[in-house]
Amino acid sequence: MLTEHKPLMRALRRSHTSSSSSPSSSNSSSPSSSSWIHLRSVLLVVASSSSSSSSSPVYTDRGSLKSPWSRRRRKHALLPKQWKSFFTPDGKLIEGGVKFLKKVRSGGVDPSIRGEVWPFLLGVYDLNSSKEERDSVKTEKRIEYENLRKECRKIRQRNEKSSKSKETVGNSSNEDSGDFSQVFDSPGLEDLSSSRRSLSSEGGSPAAEDLDCPTYDQSPERSSLLEGEGDKSVLTCEDASAGDTESTDSDSSDDPENIPLLSNEGTEENEALGENAKESSSPTKTESMPKTHTDEDFATWQRIIRLDAVRANSEWVVYSPSQAAVSEMKARRSAQVVGLKDYDHLEPCRIYHAARLVAILEAYALYDPEIGYCQGMSDLLSPIAAVLEEDDETFWCFVGFMKKARHNFRLDEVGIRRQLSIVSKIIKGKDSHLYRHLEKLQAEDCFFVYRMVVVLFRRELTFEQTLCLWEVMWADQAAIRAGIAKTAWGRMRLRAPPTDDLLLYAIAACVLQRRKLIIEKYSSMDEIMRECNSMAGHLDVWKLLDDAHDLVVTLHDKI
Amino acid sequence: MPSRRRTLLKVIILGDSGVGKTSLMNQYVNKKFSNQYKATIGADFLTKEVQFEDRLFTLQIWDTAGQERFQSLGVAFYRGADCCVLVYDVNSMKSFDNLNNWREEFLIQASPSDPENFPFVVLGNKIDVDGGNSRVVSEKKARVWCNSKGNIPYFETSAKEGINVEEAFQCIAKNALKSGEEEEIYLPDTIDVGSSSQQRSTGCEC
């Protein structure tokens, strides 16, 4: 047909095909004559009934394999006693951590020792390190983190100042457009100016005649033109809490965080910058680049980080009693320190959590400016912050996690595309029938698992399930990092070697578990995506790992 | 050729992070509001059946991620859209300024056959915040922009209070439907992409 060369035509035809052959799964299951139906509920019924029907085993040969997970229910997580027994007297892991990783790989980690174990899994501590070495790493890393935080505060203050400047000119009541920042630095005006900060920091407003092409030019002259009718309320508004937050913040801006933790407050800023430069491009560079561009990017990240932090879910609360019991005063104080806004609807423990997320994500954005902040990263950090109580440790564990996960967030999208294509290959290799069906629906690119890849099942699994899956995955990755994979694991004659891509096998497994439903019922990519986005609460993490393992066994040398 | 009746109308919601895209969709479809919707990753959709002039349609509403980084993947989700909803937060100038980018990005990625006349609807959301005192984008300013872009219909909404949400989506559905009817011209075997000059009435005041 002639339409082939036009993508839109194809897309239209797709919708037509899907709507005419089976006018969406819901319609076919529930023919209805009433006009205003909430199809979603119908869809959910379909989804849940189908997930139970599709739980009939896809893999019949599983029993014959030595899967570390198929017997999971008889295996335990790594327990405190055993964890202690893995160390030699000078505090080194026995056998370079092989036994340790093997244990975690098969059963996860007991919640009571996660905080101790994770830094090993996530590469903060070398598997061969002694207690002494770890102590010195810990101190170094703490200082490095503190310095990143200092730098974050500086940037925020600078941004605040520059937006204040713009305000001054913008409101044109102030004749002096020269050294306006001094005016607002005087304490008396602090409240007023800071209460307006957030408005102007939303970005330089284009002049009215530029409405057709909004611009990012932030020069004061420009914004001065447009303070029009809509803006007259600006001076008096902003809710009180936000005003409080910021003024308190700027009062305490010098050393507001973790004061008791850090004895060597005097560490030179520049030292820290030097350290950072080793691992990522240095914040010092930022200074020498055109200010407007880099600052604006960071300002955008800061805005979205805060937005996401206050909407982090509260599932972690029951697993982290000490953080759950944080006092309201401490919570609010920490929120003020990082300039959190709009949190009045949250209970103290969630305010506290949100403030920690902000501090750590901001520091990360500075540490890894190529990635900065991207939505989804707060989903990855939140469980780590729930398990680890100190910000610096949390940060470095997150850095370890992100070493691999960061590729999903790359601007050029190379990472995410690679991941999706591996999922596609796994499905193709395991189930050509399903793959052909996906091709027919133009869904073989596996975009429908996009969210699972980006936030590593965090949206589909419960808190506890997620941590189990991640621990198993981290153990595999740690084994590969340490070069254990080819030697020690080999001697153990495991059928499934550790893989860097266990997550992708698990994602493929979860699609394959629904093969029957997809082949028989779904006639568009949309429907498959809907299914994938509605899996929350329907997954068994150990079955998932079990199936993933089967896939690793059959396919690891072909992918 | 007998007129083929469309039953599925695809609508895409775009706009900066935190302007309330997910909330608007959920308020419209489920009549619920939460200030705890997590950031949308990639895209997701809800469907709702709507009746229009005695015909039933399934409105498929696609909620997208607000962070720019996901945009080029968005092409997979934009395909086949019948209407695009641009959302900004009346309390954030930047989210308003970005409407133009979102519009252009959509036109590039979805590459509709008749970009000049592709239906958009603009929603200025969060009018409830602080009793309207923290507002920085005036209605007039928004309307000026909408008019300059071919009389895009404009609504001021509050997903939280459910203000104007129903009305806005009625208009969205109506525009999607119109757009769909025009597309039908292309569906028969002979395709003449050039003849799509049929003017759609602009600025529906529905």
Side-chain angles (χ1 to χ4, degrees):
Chain A
M1 202 162 154
L2 282 165
T3 54
E4 282 307 323
H5 60 99
K6 264 286 201 188
L8 176 72
M9 300 303 143
R10 215 164 51 219
L12 267 168
R13 273 179 40 207
R14 277 172 65 188
S15 350
H16 273 264
T17 329
S18 63
S19 53
S20 55
S21 64
S22 85
S24 97
S25 62
S26 44
N27 280 359
S28 57
S29 69
S30 163
S32 164
S33 53
S34 104
S35 48
W36 295 92
I37 295 233
H38 294 180
L39 278 197
R40 193 188 183 209
S41 49
V42 184
L43 278 169
L44 283 176
V45 173
V46 174
S48 52
S49 65
S50 57
S51 64
S52 57
S53 71
S54 67
S55 64
S56 55
V58 178
Y59 310 107
T60 47
D61 55 343
R62 184 163 9 107
S64 65
L65 294 169
K66 273 191 183 173
S67 159
W69 302 296
S70 57
R71 287 158 289 139
R72 156 66 171 68
R73 279 180 182 79
R74 276 174 283 136
K75 289 215 173 190
H76 293 293
L78 172 64
L79 296 171
K81 204 177 149 195
Q82 193 174 16
W83 169 238
K84 279 202 192 89
S85 76
F86 281 155
F87 286 93
T88 63
D90 64 339
K92 282 193 178 182
L93 278 167
I94 51 173
E95 294 176 33
V98 174
K99 260 188 157 169
F100 156 61
L101 292 178
K102 194 183 165 207
K103 178 69 195 167
V104 174
R105 191 176 185 246
S106 65
V109 179
D110 186 80
S112 65
I113 49 168
R114 280 187 168 137
E116 281 173 59
V117 175
W118 283 12
F120 289 87
L121 283 179
L122 288 165
V124 179
Y125 300 139
D126 194 288
L127 291 173
N128 290 306
S129 60
S130 67
K131 177 81 173 62
E132 202 180 333
E133 287 164 334
R134 288 195 295 274
D135 286 344
S136 89
V137 166
K138 191 170 160 52
T139 311
E140 261 173 52
K141 298 249 176 195
R142 177 190 290 164
I143 294 166
E144 196 179 339
Y145 173 74
E146 296 297 338
N147 283 317
L148 283 167
R149 282 302 311 153
K150 262 190 221 161
E151 193 61 24
C152 288
R153 286 196 294 277
K154 265 187 164 175
I155 293 177
R156 196 152 56 86
Q157 279 161 19
R158 199 168 61 213
N159 287 346
E160 275 172 34
K161 261 186 200 148
S162 71
S163 27
K164 278 174 209 164
S165 320
K166 269 181 286 164
E167 276 296 310
T168 319
V169 181
N171 287 309
S172 69
S173 52
N174 191 338
E175 309 266 304
D176 179 14
S177 56
D179 199 2
F180 31 73
S181 61
Q182 277 180 4
V183 177
F184 277 94
D185 278 346
S186 71
L189 289 168
E190 186 62 40
D191 280 352
L192 174 65
S193 59
S194 65
S195 72
R196 289 181 300 167
R197 181 200 65 85
S198 66
L199 291 172
S200 47
S201 69
E202 291 288 344
S205 323
E209 65 267 29
D210 282 334
L211 280 176
D212 282 353
C213 41
T215 161
Y216 296 102
D217 189 336
Q218 301 232 353
S219 69
E221 292 78 11
R222 275 178 148 256
S223 51
S224 69
L225 291 174
L226 82 121
E227 306 294 316
E229 15 139 355
D231 303 318
K232 54 179 176 287
S233 56
V234 165
L235 277 168
T236 50
C237 62
E238 269 276 314
D239 67 332
S241 67
D244 275 0
T245 304
E246 279 146 19
S247 54
T248 317
D249 179 34
S250 20
D251 290 340
S252 59
S253 54
D254 266 335
D255 52 350
E257 293 166 42
N258 302 326
I259 306 154
L261 277 179
L262 197 62
S263 50
N264 41 354
E265 262 292 296
T267 316
E268 275 297 309
E269 204 81 30
N270 291 338
E271 273 177 50
L273 297 178
E275 277 172 52
N276 297 339
K278 273 186 279 176
E279 297 199 293
S280 62
S281 63
S282 151
T284 4
K285 246 198 277 174
T286 323
E287 309 261 356
S288 60
M289 284 160 78
K291 257 187 186 178
T292 43
H293 177 69
T294 45
D295 281 359
E296 184 164 13
D297 281 350
F298 194 74
T300 304
W301 296 334
Q302 287 180 308
R303 185 184 77 84
I304 306 177
I305 285 170
R306 282 163 180 75
L307 200 65
D308 290 350
V310 292
R311 47 180 173 168
N313 77 26
S314 57
E315 236 188 316
W316 61 271
V317 172
V318 288
Y319 298 95
S320 190
S322 62
Q323 291 188 67
V326 69
S327 74
E328 178 154 6
M329 222 174 79
K330 189 175 176 191
R332 290 191 174 270
R333 163 91 183 137
S334 58
Q336 284 168 356
V337 161
V338 297
L340 198 66
K341 285 185 289 179
D342 303 325
Y343 55 81
D344 278 336
H345 59 289
L346 298 174
E347 52 263 52
C349 65
R350 296 183 66 184
I351 297 174
Y352 181 68
H353 188 68
R356 293 191 63 208
L357 295 182
V358 169
I360 294 161
L361 289 169
E362 230 174 50
Y364 186 84
L366 209 56
Y367 173 81
D368 184 2
E370 196 195 336
I371 298 298
Y373 177 73
C374 185
Q375 293 191 303
M377 281 164 62
S378 60
D379 283 70
L380 304 186
L381 173 60
S382 174
I384 300 178
V387 165
L388 292 145
E389 299 193 353
E390 299 293 337
D391 283 3
D392 56 323
E393 271 197 306
T394 310
F395 174 79
W396 291 109
C397 280
F398 183 61
V399 168
F401 189 7
M402 285 294 288
K403 279 215 175 89
K404 184 148 173 67
R406 70 190 289 281
H407 298 289
N408 293 343
F409 301 105
R410 277 172 57 173
L411 279 159
D412 59 11
E413 289 166 5
V414 166
I416 184 75
R417 285 175 191 283
R418 173 195 169 269
Q419 311 261 71
L420 292 174
S421 92
I422 292 177
V423 173
S424 175
K425 275 184 200 152
I426 296 170
I427 293 173
K428 188 179 186 182
K430 176 70 189 179
D431 190 336
S432 57
H433 186 179
L434 175 62
Y435 188 80
R436 275 198 305 276
H437 184 71
L438 294 179
E439 278 182 321
K440 214 169 68 195
L441 308 184
Q442 294 178 319
E444 75 275 16
D445 52 19
C446 289
F447 266 39
F448 50 85
V449 297
Y450 183 78
R451 194 177 75 186
M452 288 182 201
V453 174
V454 170
V455 291
L456 297 97
F457 273 115
R458 182 64 198 94
R459 299 279 176 99
E460 285 74 30
L461 299 173
T462 64
F463 183 81
E464 185 57 31
Q465 285 180 323
T466 305
L467 298 196
C468 289
L469 176 80
W470 289 1
E471 282 166 346
V472 170
M473 187 185 80
W474 291 338
D476 263 21
Q477 289 167 4
I480 288 174
R481 253 198 327 271
I484 298 171
K486 293 214 164 69
T487 56
W489 291 103
R491 282 202 304 279
M492 287 174 202
R493 285 186 295 167
L494 287 171
R495 295 282 304 273
T499 163
D500 247 341
D501 293 322
L502 186 65
L503 174 87
L504 304 178
Y505 286 93
I507 289 171
C510 116
V511 174
L512 287 160
Q513 284 173 0
R514 283 150 185 79
R515 71 180 298 277
K516 193 163 180 281
L517 180 74
I518 293 171
I519 293 171
E520 291 176 4
K521 296 261 169 66
Y522 292 165
S523 51
S524 71
M525 191 271 260
D526 306 352
E527 290 167 288
I528 305 175
M529 204 189 81
R530 190 88 206 101
E531 173 74 21
C532 288
N533 282 352
S534 324
M535 279 181 189
H538 298 289
L539 289 168
D540 173 343
V541 69
W542 296 105
K543 164 113 172 65
L544 203 60
L545 282 167
D546 212 4
D547 288 355
H549 172 248
D550 286 355
L551 291 172
V552 174
V553 171
T554 17
L555 298 170
H556 76 272
D557 46 3
K558 298 182 195 123
I559 301 294
Chain B
M1 181 158 180
S3 139
R4 254 195 263 185
R5 302 224 135 184
R6 290 173 58 87
T7 51
L8 186 76
L9 299 173
K10 182 170 176 179
V11 172
I12 314 284
I13 309 180
L14 301 177
D16 279 6
S17 306
V19 297
K21 298 179 292 297
T22 306
S23 297
L24 282 162
M25 179 178 79
N26 274 285
Q27 177 60 263
Y28 175 60
V29 176
N30 297 320
K31 301 274 176 275
K32 272 186 205 151
F33 176 79
S34 157
N35 47 15
Q36 291 297 306
Y37 292 122
K38 280 173 268 177
T40 304
I41 306 290
D44 202 354
F45 67 88
L46 291 180
T47 54
K48 176 156 172 159
E49 250 179 51
V50 295
Q51 191 176 21
F52 200 75
E53 288 167 2
D54 295 331
R55 287 163 66 189
L56 274 180
F57 301 93
T58 303
L59 201 56
Q60 189 187 51
I61 305 163
W62 285 72
D63 178 25
T64 60
Q67 197 170 9
E68 211 169 334
R69 208 167 292 192
F70 293 120
Q71 273 184 58
S72 87
L73 282 168
V75 69
F77 304 127
Y78 296 178
R79 279 187 295 214
D82 297 303
C83 179
C84 177
V85 183
L86 303 172
V87 185
Y88 77 96
D89 171 357
V90 299
N91 309 289
S92 155
M93 187 58 75
K94 185 149 186 186
S95 73
F96 175 70
D97 291 344
N98 276 339
L99 288 184
N100 205 55
N101 297 342
W102 283 111
R103 182 178 169 274
E104 281 174 1
E105 191 68 25
F106 175 83
L107 290 174
I108 291 166
Q109 301 216 13
S111 55
S113 54
D114 183 11
E116 293 291 302
N117 292 304
F118 187 87
F120 288 90
V121 173
V122 169
L123 307 185
N125 192 36
K126 301 198 186 183
I127 56 167
D128 60 281
V129 172
D130 202 13
N133 285 323
S134 55
R135 181 166 186 148
V136 293
V137 183
S138 70
E139 178 171 355
K140 188 177 162 201
K141 185 170 190 165
R143 287 200 184 275
V144 166
W145 185 80
C146 288
N147 290 340
S148 76
K149 294 296 166 189
N151 290 330
I152 299 177
Y154 174 69
F155 291 86
E156 305 225 314
T157 58
S158 161
K160 186 176 183 180
E161 311 288 346
I163 301 168
N164 251 347
V165 175
E166 189 68 40
E167 292 82 350
F169 275 93
Q170 291 271 1
C171 177
I172 289 160
K174 198 167 136 189
N175 277 281
L177 180 56
K178 271 190 227 161
S179 142
E181 278 168 347
E182 281 172 38
E183 302 294 356
E184 279 181 287
I185 297 165
Y186 307 122
L187 288 169
D189 288 331
T190 39
I191 307 291
D192 183 0
V193 177
S195 73
S196 59
S197 53
Q198 191 179 340
Q199 281 292 318
R200 198 182 55 253
S201 76
T202 47
C204 93
E205 297 296 336
C206 33

